[in-house]
Amino acid sequence: MNAHHRIASGRAMLAAEAVGSGDPVIFLHANVCDSRMWRAQLDGLGAGSKAIAYDRRGFGETRAEQEAFSAVADLMAVIGALADGRPAILVGCSQGGRIAVDAALQHPTSIRALVLIAPSVTGAPEPIHPPEIESLLARQKQAEAAGDLDRVNAIKARLWLDGPLAPEGRITGEARRLFLEMNGIALRAPPIGRDVALAPAFHRLGEISAAALVIWGDRDFPHIQERSRDVAAMLPNGSGHALTGAAHLPSLERPAEATALIAAFVTRCAGRE
C-alpha cells in the first residue's frame, strides 16, 4: 500500500511516499533527480519493509520558501513522522549519500545502517578531471551562463546518466525521459536558501559504527569511484561493491540489480537472512 505524506520542516512541506510496513528504509535522492529515481526500489523493498522516499527542497513536489535550513533536520523530520520510532536504514545516492553520512554522525541512535551509492562527502579531496570531462563541464558552464536550461539538462544527462566518458545517449527510453523531467524541475526551481549545517565529514567517517554498503559504477566520474572506494575502506563496518558498466545512477540504469543489492543488505541488517 502506497501512502503520500506532506511533512513540515521549517518553512518547507516535504513531499514523501511510504510503501509497505515494518523496519524503515529511507531513500535520499541525488541532486539531478527527485524521489522518483527510487520507484523500483520502493516497490521492491516495500514487500518486507517500510520503504520511504521524499523530495528534498527544490526537487519534485516539495514546496519550500527561501530560508536557511538543514538538510539533515529535514531528514530527521521525515524520520520523526514516518519511522514509527524505529532507527532507519538510509539509502543515499550522491548528495543524498552526503546527507546520510551527516545524519549518521549527528544522530547515530536514529540510524541503523547506510547504503551509500556514489556518495558525496563534505571535506573529501577536490577532484582533478581528465581533459575530456573538463571540456564537458566547460560546456555546461557556458550553457548555464547563457540561461539555456534545456542544454544544461542534456549535458547533465550525459555526465550523470550516461557517464562522463561514455557515449552520449548510452541510456535511452524511460530512464532518460525521467531523468530529464526530474532534473528539469530542479533546474527551474526557485531559490531555497542555504544549507547551514554543512561541516567536513570525510575525516570523521571512522566515527560511524553503523553497518554500511558503498556502491559505485565503473562508468562514473573517476574521482567518484576513488572516493567511493575510500569511503568503503574508512567506514569501520563498511564494504564496497563496484557495478560493472554502470554510471552514477544505478537505481535508474540498472533498477533490478540495484534493488537486489539493497534488499540483500537490508535483510542482513534486519537479521532475516
Side-chain angles (χ1 to χ4, degrees):
M1 179 179 176
N2 294 27
H4 297 273
H5 302 268
R6 293 292 185 271
I7 300 164
S9 181
R11 298 166 70 182
M13 291 296 294
L14 307 173
E17 180 181 1
V19 180
S21 61
D23 293 330
V25 182
I26 300 179
F27 292 84
L28 298 118
H29 61 78
N31 255 24
V32 287
C33 296
D34 57 42
S35 61
R36 289 175 289 174
M37 72 175 283
W38 302 116
R39 180 72 269 159
Q41 290 72 46
L42 288 182
D43 292 342
L45 272 75
S49 305
K50 187 174 186 179
I52 301 161
Y54 70 99
D55 294 329
R56 302 203 318 272
R57 297 174 189 239
F59 299 90
E61 296 182 1
T62 283
R63 297 295 173 260
E65 297 181 39
Q66 189 169 355
E67 65 175 339
F69 71 97
S70 162
V72 171
D74 288 349
L75 168 60
M76 296 310 297
V78 174
I79 290 176
L82 300 180
D84 305 317
R86 305 180 186 184
I89 295 175
L90 303 182
V91 182
C93 179
S94 194
Q95 286 291 333
R98 188 269 296 173
I99 297 166
V101 166
D102 290 348
L105 287 168
Q106 296 175 35
H107 303 278
T109 60
S110 296
I111 310 306
R112 184 171 188 171
L114 300 171
V115 179
L116 305 172
I117 302 173
S120 175
V121 183
T122 52
E126 290 296 317
I128 299 174
H129 300 298
E132 304 95 318
I133 295 178
E134 284 289 359
S135 176
L136 281 170
L137 294 173
R139 286 163 52 193
Q140 178 182 307
K141 287 183 180 179
Q142 292 169 358
E144 290 169 344
D148 188 349
L149 296 185
D150 289 337
R151 184 63 185 146
V152 173
N153 204 3
I155 294 171
K156 287 198 171 189
R158 166 73 184 278
L159 290 168
W160 301 107
L161 186 63
D162 297 325
L165 299 176
E168 184 169 10
R170 182 178 70 88
I171 304 300
T172 60
E174 175 61 16
R176 196 173 203 87
R177 185 204 67 77
L178 182 58
F179 176 96
L180 293 171
E181 181 178 321
M182 292 187 293
N183 193 49
I185 291 172
L187 288 173
R188 291 168 174 82
I192 58 170
R194 186 170 62 90
D195 188 338
V196 298
L198 294 177
F202 188 72
H203 295 293
R204 295 184 61 198
L205 291 171
E207 300 174 27
I208 297 174
S209 61
L213 171 64
V214 185
I215 300 169
W216 64 92
D218 68 359
R219 287 184 178 268
D220 204 345
F221 282 76
H223 78 277
I224 293 177
Q225 297 181 52
E226 181 179 0
R227 183 172 66 213
S228 297
R229 288 189 289 267
D230 289 343
V231 170
M234 293 167 72
L235 289 166
N237 291 302
S239 61
H241 185 96
L243 284 172
T244 303
H248 194 66
L249 303 168
S251 70
L252 283 179
E253 179 184 349
R254 306 261 281 276
E257 189 172 354
T259 301
L261 281 171
I262 296 166
F265 178 78
V266 168
T267 297
R268 290 196 298 273
C269 290
R272 297 196 301 262
E273 193 171 49

